[in-house]
Amino acid sequence: MQRRSFVLGAAVAAGAATLGAGGVLQKWREVDPGIRAPGRAEGHFLRDLARHPGRLPVPSEIIETDIAILGSGVAGLTAGWKLERSGHQDFLVIDGPEADGNAAGARYGQAGEYACPTGAHYLPLPSQECLHVREILADLGVILRDAQAERPYYDERYLLHAPDERLLVEGHWYEGLLPPLQPGEQEELDRFNRSMDSLRASRDARGRRAFMLPSAQASDDPRWLALDRITMRQWLEQEGYRSPALHWLANYGCRDDYGARYDQVSAWAGLHYFCSRSGQAANAADGAWLTWPGGLQPLAEGLARRIGPRRRPGTVLQLQETSRGIEALCMVLRDGQATSFLLRARKAVCAMPLFVAARITPAMATLGFDPAQHLPARAPWLVANFLLKRFPKEKPEAPLSWDNVVQREPGLGYVVSTHQDIRVHPPQQTVFTSYVALTHLAPDQARRWMGQATPAQLLALAMEDLQQAYGWQFGAAVERVDITLRAHAMAIPTPGFRSNAGLKKLQQADGKILFAHADLSGFSLFEEASWWGYQAALKALKT
C-alpha cells in the first residue's frame, strides 16, 4: 500500500487508548499501513466448518499422487526437497494458507526493490550434528565446500557482517546485547559463561550432548530432563544468579527464540538457547550467523526451486486414512468463496501446525495425541516493515547494526534489510523490520487484541522501539509500512514439553500419515522444522 503522506502529531491525543504494553497511542494523521494476517480467513473457515460440518464444499476434481505433502513451511519444503534429491518425482506439495510459512518474505518497491522479512530472519551456523541443514545449505550454494567438515567454507555474502548487534539502554546505545554492568555483575556473568561452556560440552553415557540441534538427538538423561520441570527464571535463582543484566539477557533470549518470557519457558529450553549452537566455519568466527535481506525466504525459495511444478495452492479441510492410503479434501479460498479438490496418495506428510492438524486429522487421536493435553501454547507475533526514503539520524555511541535491540518489552527491536549490501556508499533507501512478541499479554489475550486492534493501534505498537531509538523524527523518513500479524507464530516450550507423550507419539508415527513440523520439537527453529521434514521424507520413501 503506497504512502499518501506520513505526518506525526507531537502531542498525545486527548483520551487516546493505552496499549497493554504500557505505551500510549499517539495522534497519527493519514497513516495507511498495509495489514496482512496470513491464514486468518482459512483458519476462521475451518473453525466455522467444525461447528457446521455439513458445509463441506463438494470437490470439483480428484488428483492422485504417490506422496502428498500438506503444508509448505520449512518442514514441508524440506520434505519435498529431500524426495526430489532422492530421485522420487511422484509427489505434490499443497501450500496451505501461506506459501513458505513463517519463512515467507516480501518485496517492497520504491526507487528500486528491497527484500525484507515477514518472519524468521537469521540462521546460526549449523554444527556437525546438523547434517541435514548442512546438506541443504551445500545444495543451495550457501556452503561452498567441505559441507560436512568441522569448519565448512561459506559464501561470505550470507555471513552476517559487522556491526551485528547493539542495545539501547536509557537513551544510549551499547555494542552487544548486555546492558551496562553494576558492581559485582561481571563475576556472576563469568560464572554463568563457565557454566554454559560446561553444559555445552556435556555428554551422557551414550555420547549424546545435553543440548543440541536437532533436539530430538539430545540426551534424555534424567539429570537434564529435570531442567524441564522448572522455568528458566527459577533455574537462575536456584543457581544464585542475581545480576539484572543476566536476567534481562535470559528473558530476551526466551522471548526472541520462543515468544514467551523466561518465567514461562522451561529451563531446558532457556539453557538450550545458550548451549545448543556450536557451529563453526573456515571463514567466520565461531557462532556466526547467516542472514539475507529477505530473512530466510531465499532458503525457502531455493528449496521450492528443487520442488519445481509439484506444488499447488490449497488448504486441507479433512485428512483421512483409506484402505489404499490417504484422502485429503482441500480448498482454495478466494474472496470468501471456497472451491475444493480431493487429493489421494499412498502416504501423506502432514507438515502443518499441530493445532491445525488436530482439527482435520482423526488419526492423531488413534496415535495417542490428545489436543486437550498435548497441544503446546502458541505465541503471537507482529512483524512490521518500514520502507524508509532515507536513514534516520543516529546517536553517536554505536553505529547502526543489523540487529538493534531496545531494553524494554514487548518489542524485540528491529533489523536492517540492507545491512548485507556491499557498496561503496550506503543505499539511499532501506527497510527497518520491527519485531514484537506480545509477551506483555497472555497468548489468548494477545490474539484477541490483534483481532480487534485498529491499524493505528497496530502501527503504534510496531513503532514503539523505533520511537525509543529515533524519537518522532523517524516518521518523517517513512515511505510505507506493511504489518504482518502471526497470531499463532510458534509453539512455546513451557515446563514439561520435553516429556510431552503426545508429541513423542507423532514423532514416532510411521504409517500412512507422517508428521513433520517444528511443533513436534515443541519450539520453532529452522533446524527443527527441516529435521522433521527430512525424517518424514525418509519414512515416506519406504515401500
Side-chain angles (χ1 to χ4, degrees), residues 216-495:
Q217 302 294 296
S219 172
D220 58 1
D221 189 288
R223 58 179 165 158
W224 308 127
L225 290 181
L227 296 168
D228 188 39
R229 294 196 288 268
I230 60 174
T231 67
M232 183 60 181
R233 179 174 180 172
Q234 288 172 325
W235 182 85
L236 288 170
E237 292 171 346
Q238 287 179 12
E239 296 295 314
Y241 293 112
R242 301 289 181 264
S243 162
L246 178 56
H247 277 256
W248 180 87
L249 183 62
N251 189 41
Y252 170 81
C254 290
R255 294 176 60 244
D256 186 43
D257 257 19
Y258 311 128
R261 303 187 81 256
Y262 76 143
D263 55 3
Q264 299 165 322
V265 166
S266 158
W268 189 95
L271 292 168
H272 186 273
Y273 174 85
F274 291 100
C275 299
S276 63
R277 294 165 169 117
S278 56
Q280 297 176 308
N283 55 334
D286 292 355
W289 296 341
L290 298 163
T291 192
W292 295 260
L296 298 189
Q297 178 65 7
L299 296 184
E301 290 173 350
L303 294 170
R305 281 195 299 272
R306 284 291 193 186
I307 294 169
R310 294 177 289 269
R311 190 169 177 181
R312 180 173 175 139
T315 297
V316 182
L317 299 177
Q318 282 188 345
L319 174 59
Q320 296 181 322
E321 294 185 358
T322 68
S323 60
R324 299 178 59 186
I326 65 94
E327 283 188 351
L329 178 63
C330 308
M331 74 163 182
V332 177
L333 194 63
R334 293 190 178 94
D335 299 324
Q337 298 298 312
T339 59
S340 65
F341 59 93
L342 190 64
L343 179 63
R344 291 175 175 162
R346 177 177 61 89
K347 289 199 175 186
V349 175
C350 186
M352 60 187 74
L354 294 184
F355 78 96
V356 177
R359 286 181 176 269
I360 65 171
T361 313
M364 292 175 70
T366 64
L367 290 171
F369 184 89
D370 180 359
Q373 297 182 53
H374 301 136
L375 273 181
R378 299 191 69 85
W381 284 63
L382 180 153
V383 184
N385 282 293
F386 294 83
L387 177 65
L388 306 183
K389 59 187 177 183
R390 62 177 178 272
F391 284 80
K393 184 178 179 181
E394 293 290 339
K395 297 177 180 180
E397 304 95 359
L400 179 66
S401 302
W402 168 73
D403 192 14
N404 307 270
V405 179
V406 179
Q407 193 194 30
R408 57 185 301 281
E409 292 188 41
L412 289 165
Y414 56 95
V415 297
V416 179
S417 74
T418 55
H419 180 80
Q420 295 294 97
D421 283 7
I422 300 174
R423 306 170 184 240
V424 175
H425 300 288
Q428 183 177 354
Q429 291 185 294
T430 188
V431 179
F432 284 8
T433 304
S434 167
Y435 285 84
V436 182
L438 281 73
T439 50
H440 60 297
L441 298 171
D444 285 345
Q445 291 177 313
R447 277 187 283 275
R448 284 195 294 271
W449 181 83
M450 289 172 75
Q452 299 167 1
T454 65
Q457 289 173 316
L458 295 170
L459 184 57
L461 181 60
M463 280 281 289
E464 285 189 354
D465 282 358
L466 292 159
Q467 288 176 355
Q468 290 287 323
Y470 300 107
W472 288 105
Q473 60 103 5
F474 177 77
V478 174
E479 194 74 25
R480 161 180 168 170
V481 184
D482 288 86
I483 298 174
T484 300
L485 305 178
R486 299 194 177 278
H488 301 270
M490 59 176 62
I492 302 173
T494 54

Side-chain angles (χ1 to χ4, degrees), residues 44-57 317-318:
H44 289 178
F45 189 96
L46 270 173
R47 179 197 61 195
D48 296 342
L49 193 60
R51 298 170 181 168
H52 307 285
R55 296 181 182 177
L56 274 172
L317 299 177
Q318 282 188 345

Side-chain angles (χ1 to χ4, degrees), residues 2-69:
Q2 295 300 319
R3 169 188 181 266
R4 296 194 305 273
S5 63
F6 197 106
V7 184
L8 306 181
V12 177
T18 301
L19 300 178
V24 178
L25 180 64
Q26 304 292 329
K27 182 68 174 176
W28 299 72
R29 294 198 300 273
E30 296 190 48
V31 174
D32 198 10
I35 308 294
R36 295 177 64 246
R40 177 183 284 177
E42 290 83 358
H44 289 178
F45 189 96
L46 270 173
R47 179 197 61 195
D48 296 342
L49 193 60
R51 298 170 181 168
H52 307 285
R55 296 181 182 177
L56 274 172
V58 177
S60 58
E61 64 176 316
I62 297 175
I63 301 171
E64 295 194 358
T65 189
D66 183 49
I67 300 171
I69 300 173

